[in-house]
Amino acid sequence: MESNNQTLFLKLAGICSMLGAITTSLLIFLPNPIASDFESQTLLFENKLYLSKLWILFIHPQVNIIASLGIAYLLLRKYPAQMIIGSLFLLVWAYTEMSQQSLLIDTLNQIWRPNYVNAESEITKNMFKSLINAANGISDSKYFLVIYGFGLGSLIYGTALIQENGLGKWIGGSLLFIGILSLCSFLRYYLGITFLNAPVNWTYEWVYPYLQPLVRIAIGIWIFKRIHLAHPSL
């Protein structure tokens, strides 16, 4: 029974990694609605594409953290330090990104923006305008933790997986690259290291959009291969 439960969890983790590839691709390649000023941004609560991307961003860390925990389960005995510490930072990333999107989905787009649009007095309108502006700072403070946790977690997982053979080594090298890229982005945004802007922007435009979904797919395949090695009849 225990073996069946373990296999079921790993299958779920593999499937979640494949779903993570889909959510990653949608977030990268779906267009962003054009809203160049405050008033047009306020009306985004009526934009289905914008709201759909927020919901995808809410689901995205959930499926990917399950996939990451699948990796941790398989490698915990071999690399306990990397798996425990890496999982801690990835859990920080996943929870924070979920809370960030819940703020934007619920508080900003179901309460503050509609109430601003429907306000009957200038005082009420100004109050909600201040809250809407404050939402940007709250969201950005959450993003601070998102890229920090994701960067460190990916980097630490990468140091373990790169010691594996075959596909696992490729995943490890890719996670090291993604982790370093995320931490470089953290450094330029929050510590003002501006010389990183050009290489980081170029990488996010030309490498990351294709590498990240491939890594998610590769993790799913790697997990299913590990299941097959443990249970060849499955």
Side-chain angles (χ1 to χ4, degrees):
M1 179 65 72
E2 184 178 355
S3 177
N4 289 339
N5 288 336
Q6 292 169 355
T7 301
L8 180 62
F9 168 67
L10 290 174
K11 285 182 177 179
L12 176 63
I15 291 169
C16 282
S17 195
M18 298 297 185
L19 292 174
I22 295 172
T23 58
T24 301
S25 298
L26 289 173
L27 292 171
I28 291 171
F29 295 110
L30 280 177
N32 292 315
I34 297 173
S36 56
D37 55 37
F38 180 84
E39 294 299 328
S40 57
Q41 290 168 11
T42 302
L43 295 175
L44 285 174
F45 75 92
E46 298 177 330
N47 188 296
K48 291 183 179 179
L49 173 61
Y50 167 76
L51 294 175
S52 295
K53 290 194 75 171
L54 293 184
W55 278 102
I56 294 168
L57 268 167
F58 180 69
I59 299 298
H60 174 74
Q62 298 178 53
V63 293
N64 285 308
I65 194 61
I66 293 172
S68 297
L69 292 175
I71 296 174
Y73 178 82
L74 288 167
L75 298 181
L76 181 61
R77 291 183 181 179
K78 200 170 182 181
Y79 312 106
Q82 289 101 315
M83 292 300 101
I84 292 171
I85 298 171
S87 295
L88 168 65
F89 284 110
L90 288 176
L91 284 165
V92 168
W93 156 67
Y95 174 79
T96 305
E97 186 153 50
M98 288 171 63
S99 70
Q100 180 189 38
Q101 301 315 309
S102 69
L103 167 75
L104 299 179
I105 291 168
D106 182 30
T107 306
L108 181 61
N109 286 292
Q110 292 190 12
I111 302 174
W112 291 350
R113 281 174 170 169
N115 282 335
Y116 171 83
V117 170
N118 297 318
E120 296 181 355
S121 72
E122 200 62 31
I123 294 175
T124 303
K125 206 172 189 68
N126 287 335
M127 179 187 73
F128 281 109
K129 184 174 183 178
S130 297
L131 290 172
I132 291 167
N133 286 328
N136 292 326
I138 298 169
S139 179
D140 192 68
S141 69
K142 290 178 181 290
Y143 188 68
F144 179 103
L145 277 178
V146 165
I147 58 172
Y148 181 76
F150 180 73
L152 272 180
S154 299
L155 182 68
I156 295 168
Y157 265 47
T159 63
L161 278 156
I162 203 167
Q163 299 176 63
E164 296 292 293
N165 297 317
L167 185 59
K169 182 178 285 293
W170 182 87
I171 294 169
S174 298
L175 289 178
L176 284 173
F177 178 83
I178 289 169
I180 292 169
L181 178 63
S182 296
L183 292 174
C184 285
S185 199
F186 179 88
L187 291 173
R188 66 172 176 153
Y189 283 143
Y190 301 111
L191 292 178
I193 303 179
T194 55
F195 76 86
L196 292 171
N197 284 339
V200 169
N201 287 339
W202 184 90
T203 305
Y204 271 123
E205 183 175 0
W206 298 106
V207 179
Y208 185 84
Y210 310 101
L211 178 62
Q212 183 65 283
L214 287 175
V215 171
R216 300 296 179 192
I217 293 169
I219 289 171
I221 293 171
W222 180 81
I223 291 173
F224 279 111
K225 281 187 173 182
R226 294 293 294 258
I227 296 171
H228 181 71
L229 287 173
H231 305 282
S233 61
L234 293 176

